C-alpha cells in the first residue's frame, strides 16, 4: 500500500504517488510532457474546441447553449464524488477523469477553479492505517485475518482527519495535473476570510494572480480549524453568505470571482420533482427562482455536510450574483468521464439554474402533450381523422398568401448562407402547396381503414378468439432540415395513423414552420386534439431530444446523411428509422435502349441532384464503351455540367480520363457522378451490394430475363427496371406522402407512408378461460382455427 511505502521512509510521499496514480486511471496515453503541450488535441478523448470566451460578467446565461461561452468556471466536487463508497479513501478513477476534463477546459483558454472535498476521507484512511499498524504485533499474529479486519477502530475526530489528509489530497491533485503540464495551487479558507475585508481582498488578489498565471486554484474549507457558521448570516443577500460547507463556499467563491459558471457535482443527477428513486420522480431540466415548492428534498448525502437543499440555496445565491449554475451527477460511471465537458458544451446534463423562464412549454411538457393528444387522436373515428386532414389540405390553399409571405422571410434571411440546392428545398410556391394539398387528400382517403384494422383472427378454443389489430406506434419525433413542405406531409401521416408528433425543423425555415404548424393545430382543433402535434421551438439540441426515451417511441430524421448519422449515434434507447446515405446506382446493360438510357440518366442525376434518391454511380456494361450509346450519355452529362469521377476499371480503359474516384461509396448530392465499368449483370449486382446503401438501384435493359434477374437479386429497398431513381418517393408511389425512406430491414422499408407508422397489438376475448384447462389432463383442447378477416375498405 502507498502508506506502507511512505512509512518506510525510502521515498518522499510525492514520488510514491506517481506510480499509484498511474495504476489507478491515468494511463500512459494521458500523460503529456511540457514540450508536447501543443498536441493537446491528441491526448484526450474529449474533443478540443475553440470558442469565443470573452464575456462581460453581470447576468447569468439564459440558456444552456450559451454555456459554451463560459470563460471562468468553478467546479465543486462533493464528498460523495471524491470519496469511495466505504467513506475511507478517495475514488481515484473519478478524480483522474475530473482532472482530465478540467485540464482540457483549461487548455482551451478557460480559467478553471476547483472547490474540493476529500481531506477528511483521505485523512481517515491514513489515520486508520496508522492505528492498525500501531497495534501489537503479537495481537495481530494471534488474531485471524478476519478478526484483524473487525478490530475496533476508535471514532476519529473530523478535524484531525482533515489535518492528516489535506497534504495528501493536494499532493494527489498536483501529481494528476502535472500529467497535463498544468500547475495547481492550494488555498484553504474559513468564513472569516470572506467577512474580514482585508483578508477578502488578499484572497481575491491571490486568486486573480493564480488565474493570470494559468494555474488552477484548488480551494477547500480549512476543516482543521474552521469555526461554526455564524447563525444569522446564512444566505441573507449577495454580500453575505455563511461558509459552513463546500456548497456555500463554492457559491461565495463564484460570486466573489465573478465567474460565469458554477458546476456542482454530487451523487444525484440533479433536482427532482419528488424524491429521487421514487416511481414518479422526474429530473428537473431547468430550475427557476421561486420554484422551490416544486422540489421535494430528500436526506443528505451519505457523506459531507451539505444536502440537496443546501446546494439549491447556494445555487440560487450564486445565480442572484450573476453566475450560472448546473447541479449534476459526478459519480455515475457512464457519464462521470465527460460530465463537466458535456455541461460546458451545453448538453442537457443535470439541472440548469436560469432566471429566464421560456414563453412556452418545455420539450418534456410538449412530449407529454403529444402523448396524451396522440392517444385521443387514436380514439377518433376514421372519418374524423380524415376530416382533420381534409381541413388541413384546404388551409394550405386558403392561407396560401400568408404561407408564402412567411417563406419569403426565410428565403431572405437564408440568402448568402445556404447553397443553391438547399435554397431550392427551402422555397415554397403555389404549385408546391397545391401538390401538398393533393397528397394530403390521398392520405385522408387511405386513413379510412388504418388504425384498428384486423390483420388476423384465430379461434384458440371454443368461445376464445384472438385478433391482431393495427395501432399507432405512439409518439414520433421527426427532425427535418430546410424543407417546410415536410411539416404538413408528416403531420397528415401522423393524424391518419393516430400518432402523437414532435417536430424539430431547421432554424432556416423558422417562419414557414411556425405558420404551417399553426395551421395543423387549427385543423386538429376541429375535433379537440390540438396538442397531438407539437413544434419544438426551444433551443433544444438534437442530441438532447434523442435522449427522451421515456417520451418518444420512434425518431425519423429527414435531411442530410450527416444529420441521419448524427441522430443514429445520439439516439439512446429509441429506434431510428431512416437511411444514413443515398448511394443510388443505375446499371446500363449491353441490351439497353440508347434513348431510354440517356433520358433515365439525365432525370436520375440532374432533375434534383441534392435528393437522397438522385443517381450517384452509373455502372456501364463493358461492351458499351466507345459506342453511340456511351457517347450520347457522356455528351448529355457535359451539357448538364455534371462533373464525372472515374471508377478504377473505367479509368484503366482511358488514356485521358477524369480524376479517379477516391471512394466508390460517395453520395455527392450535387452535379457530380461516378462512372464505373462492369462485365455482366452479376458484377453490377455485386458492385451494388458492396458499395451501395440499399436505397434505390436501377437496371436499364430491353432484356426482360436480365431485368427480372436484377430485380430479384438486388437487395435494396427499391429496385427499378427502366425507370428513374427519382420515383423512389412516397407521393410518387401513391402513398400521399412519406415520413422518410428507410433502408433498414425491420418494420418498414423504402418510402414510409401511413402503414409504416403503425404497429400491432393482440386482443383476446374469452369466457372465464384458464390455461390449466388446456393441460394434458385438462378438459379443453386448443383449436387454433383461422377465421375470416373483415375486408379492407378500398374506396
Amino acid at each position: 500500500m502507498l502508506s506502507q511505502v511512505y512509512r518506510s521512509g525510502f521515498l518522499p510521499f510525492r514520488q510514491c504517488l506517481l506510480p499509484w496514480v498511474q495504476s489507478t486511471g491515468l494511463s500512459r496515453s494521458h500523460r503529456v510532457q511540457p514540450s508536447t503541450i501543443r498536441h493537446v488535441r491528441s491526448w484526450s478523448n474529449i474533443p478540443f474546441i475553440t470558442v469565443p470566451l470573452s464575456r462581460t460578467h453581470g447576468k447569468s446565461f439564459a440558456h444552456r447553449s450559451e454555456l459554451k461561452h463560459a470563460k471562468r468556471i468553478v467546479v465543486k466536487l462533493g464528498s460523495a464524488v471524491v470519496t469511495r463508497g466505504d467513506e475511507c479513501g478517495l475514488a481515484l478513477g473519478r478524480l483522474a477523469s475530473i482532472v482530465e476534463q478540467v485540464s482540457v477546459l483549461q487548455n482551451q483558454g478557460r480559467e478553471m477553479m476547483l472547490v474540493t472535498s476529500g481531506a477528511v476521507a483521505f485523512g481517515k484512511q491514513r489515520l486508520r492505517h496508522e492505528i492498525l499498524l500501531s497495534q501489537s504485533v503479537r495481537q495481530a499474529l494471534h488474531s485471524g485475518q478476519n478478526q484483524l479486519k473487525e478490530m475496533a477502530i476508535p471514532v476519529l475526530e473530523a478535524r484531525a482527519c482533515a489535518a492528516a489528509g489535506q497534504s495528501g489530497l493536494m499532493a494527489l491533485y498536483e501529481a494528476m495535473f502535472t500529467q497535463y503540464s498544468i500547475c495547481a495551487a492550494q488555498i484553504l479558507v474559513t468564513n472569516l476570510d470572506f467577512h474580514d475585508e482585508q483578508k477578502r481582498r488578499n484572497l481575491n488578489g491571490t486568486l486573480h494572480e493564480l488565474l493570470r498565471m494559468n494555474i488552477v486554484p484548488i480551494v477547500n474549507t480549512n476543516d482543521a480549524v474552521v469555526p461554526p457558521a455564524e447563525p444569522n448570516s446564512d444566505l441573507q443577500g449577495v454580500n453575505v453568505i455563511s461558509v459552513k460547507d463546500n456548497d456555500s463556499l463554492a457559491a461565495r467563491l463564484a460570486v466573489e470571482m465573478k465567474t460565469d459558471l458554477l458546476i456542482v457535482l454530487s451523487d444525484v443527477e440533479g433536482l427532482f420533482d419528488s424524491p429521487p428513486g421514487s416511481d414518479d420522480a422526474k429530473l428537473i431540466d431547468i430550475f427557476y427562482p421561486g420554484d422551490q415548492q416544486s422540489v421535494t428534498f430528500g436526506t443528505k448525502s451519505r457523506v459531507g455536510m451539505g444536502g440537496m437543499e443546501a446546494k439549491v440555496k447556494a445555487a440560487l445565491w450564486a445565480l442572484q450574483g450573476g453566475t450560472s449554475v448546473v447541479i449534476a451527477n459526478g459519480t455515475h460511471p457512464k457519464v462521470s468521464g465527460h460530465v463537466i465537458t458535456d455541461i460546458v458544451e451545453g448538453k442537457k446534463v443535470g439541472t440548469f439554474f436560469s432566471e429566464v423562464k421560456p414563453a412556452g412549454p418545455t420539450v418534456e411538457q410538449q412530449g407529454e402533450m403529444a402523448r396524451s393528444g396522440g392517444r385521443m387522436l387514436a380514439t377518433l373515428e376514421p372519418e374524423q381523422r380524415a376530416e382533420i386532414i381534409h381541413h388541413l389540405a384546404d388551409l394550405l390553399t386558403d392561407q396560401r398568401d400568408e404561407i408564402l409571405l412567411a417563406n419569403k422571410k426565410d428565403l431572405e434571411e437564408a440568402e448568402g448562407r445556404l447553397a443553391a440546392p438547399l435554397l431550392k428545398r427551402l422555397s415554397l410556391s403555389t404549385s408546391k402547396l397545391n401538390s401538398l394539398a393533393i397528397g394530403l387528400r390521398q392520405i385522408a382517403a387511405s386513413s379510412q381503414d388504418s388504425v384498428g384494422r384486423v390483420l388476423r383472427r384465430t379461434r384458440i378454443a371454443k368461445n376464445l378468439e384472438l385478433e391482431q389489430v393495427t395501432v399507432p406506434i405512439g409518439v414520433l419525433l421527426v427532425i427535418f432540415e430546410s424543407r417546410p413542405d415536410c411539416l404538413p406531409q408528416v403531420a397528415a401521416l401522423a393524424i391518419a395513423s393516430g400518432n402523437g408528433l414532435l417536430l424539430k425543423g431547421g432554424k432556416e425555415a423558422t417562419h414557414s414552420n411556425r405558420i404551417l404548424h399553426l395551421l395543423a393545430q387549427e385543423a386538429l382543433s376541429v375535433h379537440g386534439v390540438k396538442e397531438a402535434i407539437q413544434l419544438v421551438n426551444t433551443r433544444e439540441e438534437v442530441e438532447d431530444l434523442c435522449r427522451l426515451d421515456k417520451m418518444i417511441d420512434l425518431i425519423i430524421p429527414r435531411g442530410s446523411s450527416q444529420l441521419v448519422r448524427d441522430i443514429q449515434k445520439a439516439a439512446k434507447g429509441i429506434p431510428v428509422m431512416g437511411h444514413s446515405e443515398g448511394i443510388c446506382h443505375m446499371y446500363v446493360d449491353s441490351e439497353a435502349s440508347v434513348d431510354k438510357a440517356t433520358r433515365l440518366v439525365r432525370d436520375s442525376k440532374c432533375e434534383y441532384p441534392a435528393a437522397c434518391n438522385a443517381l450517384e454511380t452509373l455502372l456501364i456494361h463493358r461492351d458499351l464503351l466507345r459506342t453511340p450509346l456511351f457517347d450520347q450519355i457522356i455528351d448529355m452529362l457535359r451539357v448538364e455540367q455534371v462533373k464525372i469521377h472515374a471508377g478504377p476499371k473505367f479509368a484503366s480503359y482511358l488514356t485521358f480520363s477524369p480524376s479517379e474516384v477516391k471512394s466508390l461509396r460517395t453520395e455527392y448530392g450535387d452535379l457530380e457522378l461516378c462512372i464505373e465499368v462492369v462485365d455482366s449483370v452479376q458484377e453490377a449486382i455485386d458492385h451494388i451490394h458492396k458499395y451501395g446503401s440499399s436505397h434505390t438501384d436501377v437496371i436499364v435493359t430491353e432484356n426482360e430475363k436480365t431485368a427480372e434477374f436484377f430485380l430479384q437479386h438486388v437487395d435494396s429497398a427499391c429496385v427499378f427496371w427502366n425507370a428513374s431513381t427519382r420515383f423512389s418517393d412516397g407521393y410518387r408511389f401513391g402513398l400521399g406522402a412519406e415520413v422518410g425512406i428507410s433502408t433498414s430491414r425491420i418494420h418498414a422499408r423504402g418510402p414510409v407512408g401511413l402503414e409504416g407508422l403503425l404497429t400491432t397489438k393482440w386482443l383476446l376475448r374469452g369466457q372465464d378461460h384458464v390455461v390449466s384447462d388446456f393441460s394434458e389432463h385438462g378438459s379443453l383442447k386448443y383449436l387454433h382455427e383461422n377465421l375470416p378477416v373483415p375486408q379492407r375498405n378500398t374506396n
Side-chain angles (χ1 to χ4, degrees), residues 548-696:
L548 300 177
D549 57 313
K550 292 183 174 60
M551 300 177 183
I552 297 167
D553 299 295
L554 179 66
I555 301 175
I556 305 173
R558 291 192 62 172
S560 67
S561 58
Q562 187 60 51
L563 171 73
V564 179
R565 282 194 295 269
D566 289 344
I567 291 173
Q568 289 173 334
K569 183 178 179 180
K572 306 296 183 184
I574 309 175
V576 178
M577 184 167 66
H579 63 280
S580 59
E581 292 176 308
I583 305 175
C584 302
H585 292 76
M586 179 177 289
Y587 166 57
V588 181
D589 185 53
S590 59
E591 299 181 64
S593 160
V594 175
D595 293 336
K596 285 182 183 178
T598 305
R599 275 172 48 82
L600 293 173
V601 173
R602 178 190 286 113
D603 190 77
S604 297
K605 179 72 262 185
C606 307
E607 197 268 341
Y608 191 3
C612 66
N613 56 13
L615 176 63
E616 304 293 7
T617 298
L618 178 64
L619 301 176
I620 302 282
H621 193 283
R622 182 183 58 182
D623 294 345
L624 296 177
L625 293 177
R626 301 182 181 90
T627 65
L629 185 152
F630 178 76
D631 293 340
Q632 187 166 318
I633 291 176
I634 296 298
D635 289 342
M636 178 273 295
L637 293 174
R638 284 201 188 102
V639 171
E640 297 290 342
Q641 298 183 327
V642 177
K643 181 179 180 180
I644 297 175
H645 302 273
K649 290 185 67 174
F650 180 44
S652 68
Y653 283 98
L654 305 175
T655 306
F656 300 100
S657 67
S659 59
E660 187 171 331
V661 69
K662 294 180 180 179
S663 172
L664 291 167
R665 291 191 180 94
T666 302
E667 180 181 12
Y668 298 103
D670 205 345
L671 287 174
E672 298 183 57
L673 181 68
C674 172
I675 298 179
E676 181 58 311
V677 174
V678 293
D679 293 336
S680 65
V681 64
Q682 183 61 59
E683 188 175 332
I685 293 170
D686 292 341
H687 180 104
I688 290 169
H689 288 164
K690 185 173 183 179
Y691 300 109
S693 61
S694 301
H695 191 294
T696 302

Side-chain angles (χ1 to χ4, degrees), residues 2 13 20 89-90 118-127 165 168-169 172:
L2 174 68
F13 178 76
W20 181 42
L90 303 179
V120 173
F122 200 1
K124 184 186 293 186
Q125 181 190 38
R126 295 181 66 188
L127 292 181
L169 178 65
L172 178 62

Side-chain angles (χ1 to χ4, degrees), residues 217-528:
I218 300 176
V219 188
N220 196 358
T221 53
N222 192 349
D223 293 326
V225 299
V226 65
E230 297 181 13
N232 296 319
S233 61
D234 187 25
L235 305 170
Q236 296 299 314
V238 172
N239 295 317
V240 183
I241 184 173
S242 176
V243 177
K244 62 180 182 179
D245 54 42
N246 276 342
D247 295 316
S248 52
L249 167 62
R252 180 66 195 244
L253 181 69
V255 174
E256 184 73 26
M257 294 298 294
K258 295 181 171 59
T259 57
D260 303 314
L261 173 62
L262 167 61
I263 299 174
V264 179
L265 297 183
S266 67
D267 55 354
V268 293
E269 280 72 15
L271 303 185
F272 289 80
D273 58 0
S274 56
S278 60
D279 291 339
D280 298 326
K282 293 181 181 178
L283 179 67
I284 297 174
D285 172 41
I286 305 178
F287 188 84
Y288 305 98
D291 283 358
Q292 289 91 323
Q293 67 276 6
S294 67
V295 180
T296 303
F297 296 106
T299 57
K300 291 204 306 179
S301 170
R302 59 176 172 80
V303 288
M305 298 177 62
M308 187 55 73
E309 188 170 8
K311 289 175 176 56
V312 172
K313 287 182 178 179
L316 290 173
W317 191 87
L319 190 68
Q320 182 186 355
T323 296
S324 297
V325 183
V326 175
I327 295 178
N329 191 339
T331 64
H332 196 292
K334 290 186 178 180
V335 298
S336 59
H338 45 81
V339 60
I340 298 173
T341 49
D342 278 355
I343 290 170
V344 176
E345 289 171 13
K347 295 181 181 178
K348 187 173 285 190
V349 178
T351 298
F352 172 62
F353 285 70
S354 175
E355 292 186 298
V356 180
K357 282 197 171 186
T362 66
V363 69
E364 289 82 4
Q365 292 169 332
Q366 286 186 297
E368 291 174 355
M369 288 189 286
R371 173 79 68 190
S372 59
R375 285 173 175 161
M376 292 175 61
L377 184 64
T379 62
L380 296 178
E381 294 297 325
E383 294 78 11
Q384 293 175 307
R385 289 193 293 271
E387 184 182 351
I388 294 172
I389 299 170
H390 277 295
H391 187 42
L392 177 57
D394 293 339
L395 288 172
L396 291 178
T397 53
D398 294 344
Q399 304 294 326
R400 179 188 304 112
D401 293 341
E402 289 83 353
I403 296 171
L404 295 180
L405 181 62
N407 185 244
K408 182 181 178 183
K409 291 181 182 178
D410 288 325
L411 290 169
E412 290 172 350
E413 293 175 6
E415 190 69 39
R417 295 191 299 109
L418 292 183
L422 294 179
L423 281 174
K424 186 175 180 181
R425 285 188 178 189
L426 178 60
S427 175
L428 292 176
S429 62
T430 299
S431 61
K432 266 192 180 182
L433 293 176
N434 290 337
S435 296
L436 277 173
I438 293 171
L440 262 59
R441 293 188 178 97
Q442 290 179 350
I443 295 172
S446 62
S447 71
Q448 296 290 330
D449 190 22
S450 56
V451 180
R453 178 163 55 91
V454 179
L455 301 179
R456 179 185 302 178
R457 293 179 65 220
T458 305
R459 179 175 289 120
I460 303 296
K462 185 179 179 181
N463 296 324
L464 184 64
E465 293 188 2
L466 178 69
E467 283 185 347
Q468 185 185 22
V469 299
T470 56
V471 294
I473 288 174
V475 175
L476 314 175
L477 168 62
V478 178
I479 302 169
F480 56 100
E481 295 176 324
S482 303
R483 291 185 56 177
D485 54 330
C486 171
L487 194 152
Q489 290 177 334
V490 173
L493 288 169
I495 294 166
S497 58
N499 285 289
L501 180 61
L502 280 176
L503 292 160
K504 174 67 172 176
K507 59 180 180 294
E508 65 277 358
T510 298
H511 303 293
S512 306
N513 289 339
R514 184 180 296 119
I515 189 170
L516 291 171
H517 174 246
L518 288 174
L519 296 179
Q521 290 200 315
E522 181 179 338
L524 288 163
S525 299
V526 171
H527 289 291

Side-chain angles (χ1 to χ4, degrees), residues 9 31 45 102 173-174 235 251 432 446 470 472 509 531-532 537 545 555 571 580 633-634 640 647 695 703 709 749 777:
R31 299 198 294 276
N45 58 357
V102 171
Y173 275 120
E174 283 187 357
L235 305 170
K432 266 192 180 182
S446 62
T470 56
E531 294 182 343
N537 288 315
L545 292 172
I555 301 175
S580 59
I633 291 176
I634 296 298
E640 297 290 342
H695 191 294
N703 188 313
F709 183 84
R749 200 172 184 206
H777 303 291

